[in-house]
Amino acid sequence: NAGVTQTPKFQVLKTGQSMTLQCAQDMNHNSMYWYRQDPGMGLRLIYYSASEGTTDKGEVPNGYNVSRLNKREFSLRLESAAPSQTSVYFCASTAGLGTDTQYFGPGTRLTVL
Amino acid sequence: QKEVEQDPGPLSVPEGAIVSLNCTYSNSAFQYFMWYRQYSRKGPELLMYTYSSGNKEDGRFTAQVDKSSKYISLFIRDSQPSDSATYLCAMSGGAQKLVFGQGTRLTINP
């Protein structure tokens, strides 16, 4: 099993460009999450999806949109990238509740110039 | 004030030392406490999981939770260079979301 996969691994954007970060899990998990990680800030939740067909905002949702395409896939879209969105983005999944173990992908390193 | 506070370090100790990593929190509803380990340029992985107060031991690692003080700790005995990583505490009140600390960057020097 691949676990949680993310594409791309690296991306450089110019201010105002858009892009979609892809995430997929093969563990038949119900819940999926998008985090960003900045130096000294830990992991901050952007959006999550408790189950297929539902999405909810996390701590830092502004500037992002998400789509739970099916049970396996959860994408994160930046409509108009800003330098403040330069970060490392992690996708995670759990079998059910947030108290379950979260399994993380390898991350996407995004730089916005 | 953040819900979860963790000293970001960095922390550097010699091989074989006992390491103590700590987090404080403000939300008394937190019942589930976790420690994740993150190697450089990798995603975090669950290391320890504790429910409510008390201690949990797994090999060289011990997790402690003191709910009365809103304080959790991770101890690493006989530290090894392979323990060099960033350690993130995380906690939840049972809802869908985890709240993470800032992470402590730890280096074990041979």
Side-chain angles (χ1 to χ4, degrees), chain A residues 100-113:
Chain A
D100 293 335
T101 301
Q102 292 202 8
Y103 294 86
F104 285 82
T108 294
R109 292 183 173 270
L110 175 66
T111 301
V112 183
L113 302 175

Side-chain angles (χ1 to χ4, degrees), chain B residues 70-82:
Chain B
K70 296 189 178 67
Y71 189 87
I72 70 171
S73 301
L74 177 71
F75 297 96
I76 307 173
R77 292 184 300 280
D78 187 25
S79 56
Q80 303 295 310
S82 58

